[in-house]
């Protein structure tokens, strides 16, 4: 059966990192949060992709009032997600 020529398929890949160790359950103490923190630059170097956004534990948070800082580190690459960046696959 022939496929219509106007059909496109979307490929997506997800990458997840975890830190080893038992950090207990939330709510986390400041020392537990420090143990779970990571350097986003190390993730960039490891995977070889440019992230869409990053932050480190302790960076200022744009979503909180006053001198609040971020509790967790983050590395995000969202190229192709949510923006309709679909790649047609060959037959």
């Amino acid at each position: 059966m022939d496929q219509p020529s106007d059909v496109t398929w979307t490929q997506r890949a997800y990458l997840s990192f975890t830190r080893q160790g038992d950090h207990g359950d939330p709510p986390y103490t400041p020392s537990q949060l420090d143990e779970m923190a990571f350097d986003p630059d190390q993730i960039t170097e490891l995977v070889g992709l440019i992230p869409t956004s990053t932050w480190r534990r302790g960076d200022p948070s744009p979503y909180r009032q006053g001198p609040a800082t971020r509790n967790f580190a983050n590395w995000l690459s969202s190229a192709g997600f949510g923006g309709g960046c679909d790649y047609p696959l060959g037959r």
Side-chain angles (χ1 to χ4, degrees):
M1 180 174 193
D2 291 332
Q3 292 182 349
S5 61
D6 60 348
V7 172
T8 60
W9 302 90
T10 301
Q11 288 185 338
R12 293 196 169 110
Y14 297 88
L15 178 65
S16 176
F17 290 94
T18 58
R19 293 211 42 146
Q20 293 181 342
D22 181 13
H23 304 293
D25 294 321
Y28 299 113
T29 66
S31 64
Q32 288 172 315
L33 291 171
D34 287 341
E35 289 175 14
M36 291 186 280
F38 63 88
D39 181 355
D41 292 341
Q42 290 178 331
I43 304 298
T44 302
E45 184 177 330
L46 180 66
V47 300
L49 298 172
I50 303 300
T52 306
S53 67
T54 64
W55 63 77
R56 290 172 173 76
R57 171 167 159 70
D59 283 354
S61 175
Y63 304 107
R64 302 163 104 186
Q65 299 293 328
T69 59
R70 297 198 184 257
N71 289 327
F72 296 94
N74 180 64
W75 186 98
L76 173 69
S77 179
S78 62
F81 296 102
C85 185
D86 296 338
Y87 302 97
L89 300 176
R91 294 180 187 213

